[in-house]
Amino acid sequence: MLAATTTTNSKPRTPLVVPLQNCDTCDRAFRATHPGHCRDCRHDLARPEPRRTLNPVCEEREAPVTGTTVAEVRAELAALDDPKARAVNERHGDDHGVNLGKLRALAKRLKTQQELAVGLWATGDTAARLLALLICRPKAFTRDELDVMQREARAPKVRDWLVNYVVKKSPHAEELRLAWSADPDPVVAAAGWALTTERVAKKPEGLDLAGLLDVIEAEMKDAPDRLQWAMNHCLAQIGIEHPEHRARAIGIGERLEVLKDYPTSPGCTSPYAPVWISELVRRRDNT
């Protein structure tokens, strides 16, 4: 009797893509299977330090808090301030020492409180403003209020969260995108480009993508750092999301060489547009 033979048509296994996480200290993206800290922050936080005793009220109170005053919340934030986290954050231009994971936990407990958010923002304190952006009602702000907030925000993290957590959810997002993109202040213009990148990815209808590439090609090379970063992100997003513009986007990146030598940690993708575009498209095609 002949032994039965079987054949299996096995497909090559799709490589596992380790997800992106946001560092609990500096909020930078890094790849890991679980939330935690990026490599730089793990190094900075590894040195032992005597444990500081927090206010027992801050440690034990778990129930959602309503009617909390600005002074009470600022006291909690002061108790959470960590010198190591502050040192890491200050290297990135953010003058606060609150672990962002703990900040988000506090926001989750406070829940949405628009009046408290407005009061926290008015203090001008970076940690308080970050918390305000997590507990506010984005649609409650007028167009002019959001414009003032963008212009008076100092810390990079506050500017980023304002755009990503508040303005993008606002009914005034498109109006602000158009106004900010043409603003002479490069920091404000960068916010406009961040909103444009969002539209490139999620709602490109009506956008002149070729015209955006024209502007990027003409202006990105000599743009100030923050504006340059935002324009580069838009360039990469056009190349990733729109195959008909991919070759041109890669070509612009190769000619301008913006962020070509940017230091990139192992496991992370370079922000150099040709590499960024190619890598993200490769991963998408292999999914």
Side-chain angles (χ1 to χ4, degrees):
M1 180 181 292
L2 294 176
T5 60
T6 60
T7 60
T8 58
N9 296 323
S10 59
K11 297 181 179 179
R13 299 179 67 181
T14 301
L16 176 65
V17 177
V18 180
L20 285 169
Q21 310 286 348
N22 285 94
C23 177
D24 285 345
T25 296
C26 70
D27 208 41
R28 284 182 296 172
F30 70 102
R31 293 198 176 275
T33 55
H34 300 288
H37 300 280
C38 67
R39 184 182 63 173
D40 290 343
C41 291
R42 285 198 303 270
H43 178 270
D44 289 333
L45 296 170
R47 295 186 293 273
E49 183 175 275
R51 184 180 184 275
R52 295 183 304 120
T53 302
L54 300 181
N55 184 334
V57 174
C58 301
E59 292 185 324
E60 296 175 3
R61 183 168 45 184
E62 297 293 339
V65 180
T66 57
T68 309
T69 67
V70 170
E72 289 172 334
V73 174
R74 293 198 69 185
E76 285 206 53
L77 291 173
L80 292 173
D81 192 89
D82 182 345
K84 288 184 178 179
R86 179 175 289 277
V88 172
N89 290 331
E90 285 179 347
R91 290 210 304 269
H92 303 288
D94 295 307
D95 56 341
H96 76 94
V98 180
N99 177 288
L100 295 180
K102 294 179 180 179
L103 189 75
R104 289 191 175 94
L106 176 56
K108 184 177 181 180
R109 178 160 55 80
L110 289 171
K111 299 187 181 297
T112 302
Q113 297 191 53
Q114 178 66 10
E115 185 177 350
L116 178 60
V118 171
L120 289 170
W121 181 272
T123 66
D125 176 73
T126 295
R129 284 186 164 181
L130 290 173
L131 181 60
L133 297 172
L134 295 176
I135 67 171
C136 71
R137 290 188 179 89
K139 295 180 180 180
F141 294 107
T142 67
R143 183 260 188 218
D144 290 343
E145 286 172 336
L146 291 172
D147 185 64
V148 170
M149 291 167 72
Q150 174 59 232
R151 295 177 190 281
E152 69 182 13
R154 302 184 314 275
K157 187 64 63 186
V158 173
R159 298 187 193 116
D160 289 341
W161 283 21
L162 176 61
V163 170
N164 291 314
Y165 296 165
V166 180
V167 179
K168 286 181 180 180
K169 300 176 183 178
S170 167
H172 310 293
E174 180 61 12
E175 183 182 356
L176 289 170
R177 180 186 77 83
L178 294 171
W180 288 348
S181 296
D183 199 277
D185 183 337
V187 172
V188 176
W193 277 93
L195 293 172
T196 298
T197 301
E198 177 82 355
R199 273 206 60 186
V200 166
K202 296 184 178 180
K203 195 177 179 182
E205 297 80 9
L207 282 180
D208 180 5
L209 298 179
L212 289 174
L213 291 176
D214 289 341
V215 175
I216 291 170
E217 187 169 23
E219 300 179 9
M220 183 173 73
K221 180 74 171 180
D222 298 319
D225 288 349
R226 188 171 181 84
L227 177 56
Q228 184 184 75
W229 186 276
M231 296 176 80
N232 183 72
H233 189 183
C234 189
L235 172 66
Q237 203 69 53
I238 291 173
I240 293 164
E241 300 292 343
H242 301 280
E244 68 276 19
H245 296 287
R246 186 169 297 150
R248 186 183 175 199
I250 291 174
I252 290 171
E254 290 174 340
R255 285 191 296 277
L256 300 185
E257 297 187 336
V258 169
L259 301 176
K260 183 177 182 179
D261 299 322
Y262 190 86
T264 305
S265 300
C268 296
T269 302
S270 169
Y272 176 48
V275 173
W276 192 352
I277 294 168
S278 300
E279 178 63 16
L280 268 291
V281 170
R282 181 191 68 78
R283 291 178 193 171
R284 181 178 295 177
D285 291 344
N286 287 338
T287 300

